[in-house]
Amino acid sequence: MINTIRTSHSIPQLAGIRLQEFFAALRSVIGAVTSAHTADCLLYATVTAAALSYLGIVGAEARMGSAMWRVGAGDGDVIVHAMEVQGAKFAPAMAPQALPFHAWVEVEDNILDFTTWTLKAKARILDSLDGGSTSVEWCPDYLVVPATSSTSLRQVQCGFEAGLYAYIRHQEVEEIVRRRSPGVERIAPLVAGVIHAYRASLHGETVAVVGVNRDGSLQTEAVAAEYAVVS
């Protein structure tokens, strides 16, 4: 299955949140302010945690560390954001020497990752760097899953089933990243935009989110009442 949503709607801590509409609002608002859609996990995680907290979800926290996803059944069909693993790792073009880490959100014992929709793009970047050919059979729009479904990095690396993933929190990485990341006041406009767009979609309204590029041109994303998901 390609571009399906893997989620557990029975997670009580997320009761009342319509995940599909929330994802649409989040992706559109952030998409209007950045084009780094393969290297903006920290922005997604911090905005998601703040927006969910405002919407009444208790305990939503941005987490950072290592992550790995098996996107296909072949030996090399993995995307890696982990300093523990030797070999090719994903690194954005704008910061090739950056510490390989990933950011996601945890709500008690659940993992929320709204950036898995970029896995295909990350695979293309990796292939351009190492000459490989990554087969992407699994690329969910987002993950909202129990933390117990996360396996080890080795299990993902050695597995042959697309859809395996591992998230490993590293507090030392969090300390480094948080010292260098913008404060809450810097992301407040994005959080407000996500909340506004999300609430509008719940009423069947469409909101246009407009960002200004550095060259002065406009970058527009539409947040519709329904977000198309291809399965």
Side-chain angles (χ1 to χ4, degrees), residues 13-14 24 34 56 79 91 138 151 153-154 156 167 181 186 215:
Q13 294 89 341
L14 295 176
T34 179
I79 307 296
W138 180 80
T151 66
L153 296 174
R154 180 173 178 80
V156 176
Y167 290 83
S181 60
R186 296 283 298 277
D215 62 1

Side-chain angles (χ1 to χ4, degrees), residues 150-166:
S150 172
T151 66
S152 68
L153 296 174
R154 180 173 178 80
Q155 285 176 294
V156 176
Q157 191 173 31
C158 298
F160 294 98
E161 178 186 356
L164 295 174
Y165 48 84

Side-chain angles (χ1 to χ4, degrees), residues 70-77 135 137 159-162:
R70 174 158 286 283
V71 295
D75 289 345
D77 294 340
S135 176
E137 303 169 9
F160 294 98
E161 178 186 356

Side-chain angles (χ1 to χ4, degrees), residues 43-66:
L43 185 58
Y44 267 85
T46 52
V47 171
T48 295
L52 288 177
S53 296
Y54 185 90
L55 291 170
I57 303 302
V58 178
E61 296 285 348
R63 301 299 187 201
M64 289 140 239
S66 295

